[in-house]
Amino acid sequence: APRPPVLNGSLWALAGDQVRVTCAASSHPAPIVTVARGRRVVAAAVYEPQVTLEVAAASPEDAGEYLCRAENQHGESSVAFN
């Protein structure tokens, strides 16, 4: 199963700021890594070790809980962030 994902990036932003959050996970075979907000996937990488969520200009509507999930045929792991 994939190891728990690791986040790298700013989780604090002011309105109008650019936001980049990278979520990385390792496993063999390579995982599918997704970032979702609620049920909506907002970034995905298939068989890649990481995915980057980019918001060009943050707005109050972008606030909230996101979930980074890594999965392969052996299992899944995830980490939540705001």
Side-chain angles (χ1 to χ4, degrees):
R3 291 192 173 104
V6 176
L7 299 173
N8 180 19
S10 173
L11 301 179
W12 290 98
L14 298 175
D17 285 354
Q18 179 183 16
V19 178
R20 280 179 64 108
V21 178
T22 299
C23 178
S26 61
S27 68
H28 185 73
I32 296 172
V33 183
T34 57
V35 175
R37 184 167 181 225
R39 295 183 179 259
R40 183 172 161 242
V41 173
V42 294
V46 178
Y47 307 125
E48 297 289 333
Q50 67 183 31
V51 64
T52 300
L53 170 65
E54 294 188 49
V55 177
S59 68
E61 293 78 27
D62 295 316
E65 186 169 284
Y66 291 76
L67 182 70
C68 177
R69 182 173 142 175
E71 62 183 303
N72 66 16
Q73 62 263 44
H74 300 293
E76 68 176 70
S77 60
S78 61
V79 63
F81 64 95
N82 289 307

